[in-house]
PDB file of all heavy atoms in Angstrom:
ATOM      1  N   LEU H 428       1.315 -21.244  15.627  1.00  0.00           N
ATOM      2  CA  LEU H 428       0.314 -21.677  14.658  1.00  0.00           C
ATOM      3  C   LEU H 428      -1.091 -21.291  15.115  1.00  0.00           C
ATOM      4  O   LEU H 428      -1.924 -20.873  14.303  1.00  0.00           O
ATOM      5  CB  LEU H 428       0.412 -23.185  14.447  1.00  0.00           C
ATOM      6  CG  LEU H 428      -0.532 -23.779  13.395  1.00  0.00           C
ATOM      7  CD1 LEU H 428      -0.234 -23.208  12.023  1.00  0.00           C
ATOM      8  CD2 LEU H 428      -0.394 -25.308  13.359  1.00  0.00           C
ATOM      9  N   PHE H 429      -1.350 -21.447  16.404  1.00  0.00           N
ATOM     10  CA  PHE H 429      -2.652 -21.065  16.944  1.00  0.00           C
ATOM     11  C   PHE H 429      -2.916 -19.584  16.732  1.00  0.00           C
ATOM     12  O   PHE H 429      -4.012 -19.175  16.339  1.00  0.00           O
ATOM     13  CB  PHE H 429      -2.715 -21.405  18.433  1.00  0.00           C
ATOM     14  CG  PHE H 429      -4.006 -21.027  19.099  1.00  0.00           C
ATOM     15  CD1 PHE H 429      -5.120 -21.849  19.006  1.00  0.00           C
ATOM     16  CD2 PHE H 429      -4.112 -19.839  19.812  1.00  0.00           C
ATOM     17  CE1 PHE H 429      -6.320 -21.495  19.611  1.00  0.00           C
ATOM     18  CE2 PHE H 429      -5.301 -19.477  20.418  1.00  0.00           C
ATOM     19  CZ  PHE H 429      -6.406 -20.309  20.327  1.00  0.00           C
ATOM     20  N   LEU H 430      -1.895 -18.747  16.970  1.00  0.00           N
ATOM     21  CA  LEU H 430      -2.047 -17.307  16.754  1.00  0.00           C
ATOM     22  C   LEU H 430      -2.244 -16.989  15.278  1.00  0.00           C
ATOM     23  O   LEU H 430      -3.063 -16.141  14.921  1.00  0.00           O
ATOM     24  CB  LEU H 430      -0.830 -16.570  17.302  1.00  0.00           C
ATOM     25  CG  LEU H 430      -0.760 -16.330  18.799  1.00  0.00           C
ATOM     26  CD1 LEU H 430       0.579 -15.731  19.200  1.00  0.00           C
ATOM     27  CD2 LEU H 430      -1.894 -15.409  19.250  1.00  0.00           C
ATOM     28  N   ALA H 431      -1.481 -17.667  14.415  1.00  0.00           N
ATOM     29  CA  ALA H 431      -1.573 -17.398  12.976  1.00  0.00           C
ATOM     30  C   ALA H 431      -2.980 -17.667  12.467  1.00  0.00           C
ATOM     31  O   ALA H 431      -3.541 -16.865  11.701  1.00  0.00           O
ATOM     32  CB  ALA H 431      -0.569 -18.260  12.215  1.00  0.00           C
ATOM     33  N   VAL H 432      -3.561 -18.790  12.879  1.00  0.00           N
ATOM     34  CA  VAL H 432      -4.912 -19.131  12.426  1.00  0.00           C
ATOM     35  C   VAL H 432      -5.959 -18.264  13.135  1.00  0.00           C
ATOM     36  O   VAL H 432      -6.890 -17.748  12.508  1.00  0.00           O
ATOM     37  CB  VAL H 432      -5.198 -20.625  12.689  1.00  0.00           C
ATOM     38  CG1 VAL H 432      -6.640 -20.967  12.315  1.00  0.00           C
ATOM     39  CG2 VAL H 432      -4.241 -21.497  11.888  1.00  0.00           C
ATOM     40  N   GLY H 433      -5.777 -18.085  14.430  1.00  0.00           N
ATOM     41  CA  GLY H 433      -6.775 -17.335  15.199  1.00  0.00           C
ATOM     42  C   GLY H 433      -6.833 -15.855  14.852  1.00  0.00           C
ATOM     43  O   GLY H 433      -7.912 -15.251  14.890  1.00  0.00           O
ATOM     44  N   ARG H 434      -5.680 -15.273  14.508  1.00  0.00           N
ATOM     45  CA  ARG H 434      -5.647 -13.836  14.217  1.00  0.00           C
ATOM     46  C   ARG H 434      -5.984 -13.518  12.753  1.00  0.00           C
ATOM     47  O   ARG H 434      -6.124 -12.348  12.392  1.00  0.00           O
ATOM     48  CB  ARG H 434      -4.262 -13.257  14.521  1.00  0.00           C
ATOM     49  CG  ARG H 434      -3.797 -13.405  15.952  1.00  0.00           C
ATOM     50  CD  ARG H 434      -4.619 -12.642  16.943  1.00  0.00           C
ATOM     51  NE  ARG H 434      -4.665 -11.220  16.648  1.00  0.00           N
ATOM     52  CZ  ARG H 434      -5.327 -10.333  17.391  1.00  0.00           C
ATOM     53  NH1 ARG H 434      -6.017 -10.742  18.440  1.00  0.00           N
ATOM     54  NH2 ARG H 434      -5.338  -9.049  17.081  1.00  0.00           N
ATOM     55  N   ALA H 435      -6.110 -14.544  11.909  1.00  0.00           N
ATOM     56  CA  ALA H 435      -6.354 -14.305  10.484  1.00  0.00           C
ATOM     57  C   ALA H 435      -7.677 -13.581  10.241  1.00  0.00           C
ATOM     58  O   ALA H 435      -7.813 -12.811   9.288  1.00  0.00           O
ATOM     59  CB  ALA H 435      -6.346 -15.638   9.719  1.00  0.00           C
ATOM     60  N   GLY H 436      -8.670 -13.830  11.108  1.00  0.00           N
ATOM     61  CA  GLY H 436      -9.969 -13.200  10.909  1.00  0.00           C
ATOM     62  C   GLY H 436     -10.162 -11.883  11.619  1.00  0.00           C
ATOM     63  O   GLY H 436     -11.206 -11.219  11.432  1.00  0.00           O
ATOM     64  N   THR H 437      -9.184 -11.441  12.429  1.00  0.00           N
ATOM     65  CA  THR H 437      -9.364 -10.198  13.173  1.00  0.00           C
ATOM     66  C   THR H 437      -9.390  -8.977  12.245  1.00  0.00           C
ATOM     67  O   THR H 437      -9.913  -7.927  12.634  1.00  0.00           O
ATOM     68  CB  THR H 437      -8.266 -10.028  14.234  1.00  0.00           C
ATOM     69  OG1 THR H 437      -6.983 -10.070  13.581  1.00  0.00           O
ATOM     70  CG2 THR H 437      -8.337 -11.135  15.263  1.00  0.00           C
ATOM     71  N   GLY H 438      -8.799  -9.121  11.059  1.00  0.00           N
ATOM     72  CA  GLY H 438      -8.863  -8.005  10.117  1.00  0.00           C
ATOM     73  C   GLY H 438     -10.286  -7.660   9.731  1.00  0.00           C
ATOM     74  O   GLY H 438     -10.613  -6.483   9.513  1.00  0.00           O
ATOM     75  N   VAL H 439     -11.149  -8.683   9.642  1.00  0.00           N
ATOM     76  CA  VAL H 439     -12.559  -8.427   9.345  1.00  0.00           C
ATOM     77  C   VAL H 439     -13.177  -7.560  10.416  1.00  0.00           C
ATOM     78  O   VAL H 439     -13.874  -6.577  10.141  1.00  0.00           O
ATOM     79  CB  VAL H 439     -13.329  -9.769   9.220  1.00  0.00           C
ATOM     80  CG1 VAL H 439     -14.813  -9.510   9.033  1.00  0.00           C
ATOM     81  CG2 VAL H 439     -12.779 -10.587   8.066  1.00  0.00           C
ATOM     82  N   LEU H 440     -12.920  -7.912  11.676  1.00  0.00           N
ATOM     83  CA  LEU H 440     -13.486  -7.142  12.796  1.00  0.00           C
ATOM     84  C   LEU H 440     -13.002  -5.708  12.770  1.00  0.00           C
ATOM     85  O   LEU H 440     -13.817  -4.769  12.811  1.00  0.00           O
ATOM     86  CB  LEU H 440     -13.066  -7.805  14.117  1.00  0.00           C
ATOM     87  CG  LEU H 440     -13.205  -6.935  15.362  1.00  0.00           C
ATOM     88  CD1 LEU H 440     -14.670  -6.775  15.740  1.00  0.00           C
ATOM     89  CD2 LEU H 440     -12.414  -7.498  16.524  1.00  0.00           C
ATOM     90  N   HIS H 441     -11.685  -5.508  12.707  1.00  0.00           N
ATOM     91  CA  HIS H 441     -11.139  -4.152  12.788  1.00  0.00           C
ATOM     92  C   HIS H 441     -11.550  -3.290  11.599  1.00  0.00           C
ATOM     93  O   HIS H 441     -11.885  -2.113  11.751  1.00  0.00           O
ATOM     94  CB  HIS H 441      -9.618  -4.212  12.906  1.00  0.00           C
ATOM     95  CG  HIS H 441      -9.123  -4.610  14.257  1.00  0.00           C
ATOM     96  ND1 HIS H 441      -9.420  -3.904  15.393  1.00  0.00           N
ATOM     97  CD2 HIS H 441      -8.365  -5.662  14.653  1.00  0.00           C
ATOM     98  CE1 HIS H 441      -8.873  -4.481  16.437  1.00  0.00           C
ATOM     99  NE2 HIS H 441      -8.211  -5.553  16.026  1.00  0.00           N
ATOM    100  N   MET H 442     -11.550  -3.877  10.408  1.00  0.00           N
ATOM    101  CA  MET H 442     -11.905  -3.099   9.227  1.00  0.00           C
ATOM    102  C   MET H 442     -13.389  -2.789   9.163  1.00  0.00           C
ATOM    103  O   MET H 442     -13.785  -1.666   8.813  1.00  0.00           O
ATOM    104  CB  MET H 442     -11.446  -3.833   7.962  1.00  0.00           C
ATOM    105  CG  MET H 442      -9.963  -3.688   7.692  1.00  0.00           C
ATOM    106  SD  MET H 442      -9.451  -4.359   6.093  1.00  0.00           S
ATOM    107  CE  MET H 442      -9.137  -6.043   6.557  1.00  0.00           C
ATOM    108  N   LEU H 443     -14.232  -3.750   9.522  1.00  0.00           N
ATOM    109  CA  LEU H 443     -15.671  -3.493   9.510  1.00  0.00           C
ATOM    110  C   LEU H 443     -16.036  -2.435  10.535  1.00  0.00           C
ATOM    111  O   LEU H 443     -16.802  -1.494  10.233  1.00  0.00           O
ATOM    112  CB  LEU H 443     -16.435  -4.787   9.806  1.00  0.00           C
ATOM    113  CG  LEU H 443     -17.959  -4.643   9.938  1.00  0.00           C
ATOM    114  CD1 LEU H 443     -18.567  -4.070   8.655  1.00  0.00           C
ATOM    115  CD2 LEU H 443     -18.602  -5.992  10.284  1.00  0.00           C
ATOM    116  N   ALA H 444     -15.490  -2.545  11.756  1.00  0.00           N
ATOM    117  CA  ALA H 444     -15.808  -1.572  12.797  1.00  0.00           C
ATOM    118  C   ALA H 444     -15.344  -0.163  12.406  1.00  0.00           C
ATOM    119  O   ALA H 444     -16.113   0.807  12.523  1.00  0.00           O
ATOM    120  CB  ALA H 444     -15.158  -1.998  14.120  1.00  0.00           C
ATOM    121  N   SER H 445     -14.131  -0.036  11.905  1.00  0.00           N
ATOM    122  CA  SER H 445     -13.631   1.281  11.502  1.00  0.00           C
ATOM    123  C   SER H 445     -14.345   1.781  10.243  1.00  0.00           C
ATOM    124  O   SER H 445     -14.527   2.988  10.075  1.00  0.00           O
ATOM    125  CB  SER H 445     -12.120   1.210  11.251  1.00  0.00           C
ATOM    126  OG  SER H 445     -11.428   0.908  12.434  1.00  0.00           O
ATOM    127  N   GLY H 446     -14.738   0.839   9.362  1.00  0.00           N
ATOM    128  CA  GLY H 446     -15.508   1.230   8.185  1.00  0.00           C
ATOM    129  C   GLY H 446     -16.839   1.838   8.570  1.00  0.00           C
ATOM    130  O   GLY H 446     -17.288   2.824   7.969  1.00  0.00           O
ATOM    131  N   LEU H 447     -17.497   1.244   9.577  1.00  0.00           N
ATOM    132  CA  LEU H 447     -18.761   1.819  10.062  1.00  0.00           C
ATOM    133  C   LEU H 447     -18.558   3.216  10.610  1.00  0.00           C
ATOM    134  O   LEU H 447     -19.340   4.129  10.342  1.00  0.00           O
ATOM    135  CB  LEU H 447     -19.349   0.909  11.145  1.00  0.00           C
ATOM    136  CG  LEU H 447     -19.935  -0.434  10.682  1.00  0.00           C
ATOM    137  CD1 LEU H 447     -20.322  -1.270  11.899  1.00  0.00           C
ATOM    138  CD2 LEU H 447     -21.138  -0.212   9.787  1.00  0.00           C
ATOM    139  N   ALA H 448     -17.487   3.389  11.405  1.00  0.00           N
ATOM    140  CA  ALA H 448     -17.205   4.712  11.959  1.00  0.00           C
ATOM    141  C   ALA H 448     -16.891   5.713  10.857  1.00  0.00           C
ATOM    142  O   ALA H 448     -17.335   6.875  10.906  1.00  0.00           O
ATOM    143  CB  ALA H 448     -16.041   4.618  12.955  1.00  0.00           C
ATOM    144  N   GLY H 449     -16.136   5.288   9.838  1.00  0.00           N
ATOM    145  CA  GLY H 449     -15.834   6.177   8.718  1.00  0.00           C
ATOM    146  C   GLY H 449     -17.074   6.568   7.944  1.00  0.00           C
ATOM    147  O   GLY H 449     -17.222   7.724   7.520  1.00  0.00           O
ATOM    148  N   TRP H 450     -17.967   5.604   7.755  1.00  0.00           N
ATOM    149  CA  TRP H 450     -19.243   5.907   7.090  1.00  0.00           C
ATOM    150  C   TRP H 450     -20.048   6.920   7.900  1.00  0.00           C
ATOM    151  O   TRP H 450     -20.633   7.844   7.343  1.00  0.00           O
ATOM    152  CB  TRP H 450     -20.029   4.603   6.930  1.00  0.00           C
ATOM    153  CG  TRP H 450     -21.431   4.776   6.461  1.00  0.00           C
ATOM    154  CD1 TRP H 450     -21.866   5.050   5.197  1.00  0.00           C
ATOM    155  CD2 TRP H 450     -22.621   4.696   7.273  1.00  0.00           C
ATOM    156  NE1 TRP H 450     -23.234   5.137   5.164  1.00  0.00           N
ATOM    157  CE2 TRP H 450     -23.723   4.926   6.433  1.00  0.00           C
ATOM    158  CE3 TRP H 450     -22.844   4.447   8.627  1.00  0.00           C
ATOM    159  CZ2 TRP H 450     -25.036   4.921   6.902  1.00  0.00           C
ATOM    160  CZ3 TRP H 450     -24.150   4.430   9.102  1.00  0.00           C
ATOM    161  CH2 TRP H 450     -25.219   4.673   8.229  1.00  0.00           C
ATOM    162  N   GLY H 451     -20.044   6.744   9.232  1.00  0.00           N
ATOM    163  CA  GLY H 451     -20.756   7.691  10.086  1.00  0.00           C
ATOM    164  C   GLY H 451     -20.159   9.089  10.026  1.00  0.00           C
ATOM    165  O   GLY H 451     -20.884  10.084  10.010  1.00  0.00           O
ATOM    166  N   LEU H 452     -18.834   9.182   9.971  1.00  0.00           N
ATOM    167  CA  LEU H 452     -18.178  10.482   9.859  1.00  0.00           C
ATOM    168  C   LEU H 452     -18.540  11.171   8.547  1.00  0.00           C
ATOM    169  O   LEU H 452     -18.789  12.380   8.509  1.00  0.00           O
ATOM    170  CB  LEU H 452     -16.660  10.308   9.962  1.00  0.00           C
ATOM    171  CG  LEU H 452     -16.089  10.026  11.350  1.00  0.00           C
ATOM    172  CD1 LEU H 452     -14.617   9.641  11.256  1.00  0.00           C
ATOM    173  CD2 LEU H 452     -16.265  11.221  12.280  1.00  0.00           C
ATOM    174  N   ALA H 453     -18.564  10.402   7.460  1.00  0.00           N
ATOM    175  CA  ALA H 453     -18.915  10.981   6.157  1.00  0.00           C
ATOM    176  C   ALA H 453     -20.350  11.507   6.169  1.00  0.00           C
ATOM    177  O   ALA H 453     -20.629  12.585   5.615  1.00  0.00           O
ATOM    178  CB  ALA H 453     -18.725   9.926   5.056  1.00  0.00           C
ATOM    179  N   LYS H 454     -21.261  10.759   6.778  1.00  0.00           N
ATOM    180  CA  LYS H 454     -22.653  11.200   6.867  1.00  0.00           C
ATOM    181  C   LYS H 454     -22.760  12.499   7.667  1.00  0.00           C
ATOM    182  O   LYS H 454     -23.532  13.406   7.317  1.00  0.00           O
ATOM    183  CB  LYS H 454     -23.500  10.113   7.518  1.00  0.00           C
ATOM    184  CG  LYS H 454     -23.637   8.834   6.686  1.00  0.00           C
ATOM    185  CD  LYS H 454     -24.698   8.955   5.617  1.00  0.00           C
ATOM    186  CE  LYS H 454     -26.086   8.831   6.222  1.00  0.00           C
ATOM    187  NZ  LYS H 454     -27.127   8.744   5.151  1.00  0.00           N
ATOM    188  N   MET H 455     -21.974  12.594   8.733  1.00  0.00           N
ATOM    189  CA  MET H 455     -22.019  13.796   9.558  1.00  0.00           C
ATOM    190  C   MET H 455     -21.428  14.987   8.819  1.00  0.00           C
ATOM    191  O   MET H 455     -22.010  16.084   8.832  1.00  0.00           O
ATOM    192  CB  MET H 455     -21.267  13.558  10.862  1.00  0.00           C
ATOM    193  CG  MET H 455     -21.320  14.746  11.822  1.00  0.00           C
ATOM    194  SD  MET H 455     -20.357  14.507  13.335  1.00  0.00           S
ATOM    195  CE  MET H 455     -18.686  14.545  12.673  1.00  0.00           C
TER     196      MET H 455
END
Side-chain angles (χ1 to χ4, degrees):
L428 183 61
F429 179 82
L430 280 173
V432 176
R434 300 296 302 180
T437 57
V439 175
L440 163 73
H441 285 300
M442 282 188 272
L443 175 59
S445 296
L447 288 173
W450 171 77
L452 286 170
K454 294 279 283 189
M455 183 183 69

